[in-house]
Amino acid sequence: MRLSLFKSLFNVNNAVFEGVEVKQSPDGVVSIFFDVRPYKRFSHICPHCGRVCPGYDRGAPRLWRSLDFAGALVYLRSAVPRVCCPEHGVVTAAVPWAFVGSGFTRDFDLQVAWTARYLPRSRIAELMRIDWDTVGRCVKRAQAHLDPNA
């Protein structure tokens, strides 16, 4: 299987897909975990100022929820280093597939925000399989991205 196909499918730019793991929970929910890493030139960027910074440590593996695929929950998994920014101190490096501080991919946050224009929050939470409060946070991140001066 060519993992580069998933790069286009999940709109993950500036990163390499290295592996995939499929798990099924006892209640029948299928989850797909993609191991990804940013290209080297995008791996040590301060999330606040966008400056390339020296690494501080290797960081622990993290998960970002992506849009569902064929009924399966999709996650991106990556060890994200912390960087030492001269202006902001030690912070977790930015990743090219997610907004700063989000546990979801950019496409997921943007999909939730688009859906919020047409459906009530409770229906979005059910559709996207997320918590009711999470809908508002996704919308705020998308709004800050789409209209930074709002």
Side-chain angles (χ1 to χ4, degrees), residues 63-81:
L63 292 176
W64 291 265
R65 169 92 182 277
S66 187
L67 294 171
D68 295 356
F69 180 71
L73 297 173
V74 175
Y75 296 91
L76 301 183
R77 181 170 49 197
S78 182
V80 181

Side-chain angles (χ1 to χ4, degrees), residues 19-21 23 33-37 61-64 75-79 97:
V20 62
E21 177 183 10
K23 292 183 179 180
F33 297 87
F34 289 99
D35 294 311
V36 297
R37 65 173 168 78
R62 295 177 182 228
L63 292 176
W64 291 265
Y75 296 91
L76 301 183
R77 181 170 49 197
S78 182
W97 55 81

Side-chain angles (χ1 to χ4, degrees), residues 13-31:
N13 299 314
N14 303 318
V16 177
F17 278 70
E18 297 180 317
V20 62
E21 177 183 10
V22 179
K23 292 183 179 180
Q24 185 168 2
S25 67
D27 59 351
V29 176
V30 175
S31 298

Side-chain angles (χ1 to χ4, degrees), residues 7 9 28 30 42 47 69 72 91-92 113-114 118 126 132-133 136 138:
K7 186 175 177 177
L9 190 63
V30 175
F42 295 102
F69 180 71
V91 294
T92 302
W114 182 85
Y118 304 101
E126 184 180 346
W132 188 86
D133 289 330
C138 289

